Amino acid sequence: MNWQFNLRKDKNVVLGFSLLLGMVLSHFTGLGLLSVQADEQQHHSSSGHHKTVTIPPGQPIPTVDLIVHPDARQGWNLELKLTNFKLTPENVNQAMSSYQEGHAHLYINGKKVTRIYGNWYYLPELPPGRHEIRVGLTGNGHEMLMVHDQEIGDTEIIEVQK
């Protein structure tokens, strides 16, 4: 049997096959992939345009506590204290398979700066003034994690003297 597809002509077949495969894997693994797909929605926030995923009832809720440590020489060391969440850079850009794994996005004054794959990040400098530093937890496919209609993240303020 030939399983090659013309993507333009057969995209519905590919999509249907992908959904069927997801259902089968979800059933046998218990990972709840269908509920992840069903809960995705487009969300516009201060963090930009990203799909969001709401943590369903009964699932452990991830949390992040952002702690800003002034560096002894220059800049700041950002520490992410996580509960119910594992940073998995090896799985970035893959389909979401768990509500408790992924990476963080770092925003400065509402603008996404970078992804964070570890519990520490060095921020070398900021211009003088008041700066909002925010981290948000995201799934491997960059889905913003939500609970009770709120992004899962933490925000701190850094004041830089002139």
Side-chain angles (χ1 to χ4, degrees), residues 2-3 20 31 52 54 64 83-84 104 122 127 135 142 154-155:
N2 185 354
W3 287 97
L20 176 63
L31 291 177
T52 63
T54 299
V64 58
T83 57
N84 297 321
Y122 175 64
V135 292
H142 307 277
D154 195 18
T155 303

Side-chain angles (χ1 to χ4, degrees), residues 9-72:
K9 288 176 67 179
D10 299 320
K11 67 181 176 182
N12 290 335
V13 173
V14 172
L15 179 61
F17 180 76
S18 297
L19 289 174
L20 176 63
L21 182 60
M23 287 176 21
V24 170
L25 290 174
S26 176
H27 175 75
F28 287 108
T29 64
L31 291 177
L33 295 176
L34 289 179
S35 61
V36 170
Q37 292 172 353
D39 287 340
E40 287 185 2
Q41 57 184 342
Q42 288 294 93
H43 181 74
H44 175 71
S45 71
S46 61
S47 306
H49 290 86
H50 285 92
K51 286 185 177 180
T52 63
V53 174
T54 299
I55 308 297
Q59 288 286 319
I61 298 173
T63 64
V64 58
D65 183 17
L66 173 62
I67 301 169
V68 177
H69 302 276
D71 189 78

Side-chain angles (χ1 to χ4, degrees), residues 81-98:
K81 290 191 175 183
L82 303 169
T83 57
N84 297 321
F85 195 78
K86 179 181 176 188
L87 296 167
T88 54
E90 67 276 11
N91 295 331
V92 72
N93 299 322
Q94 295 181 19
M96 186 173 180
S97 61
S98 169

Side-chain angles (χ1 to χ4, degrees), residues 76 126-132 156-162:
W76 301 266
L126 290 168
R130 183 177 193 269
H131 302 279
E132 180 182 276
E156 296 293 334
I157 302 297
I158 296 177
E159 294 273 351
V160 180
Q161 301 301 316
K162 293 182 182 190

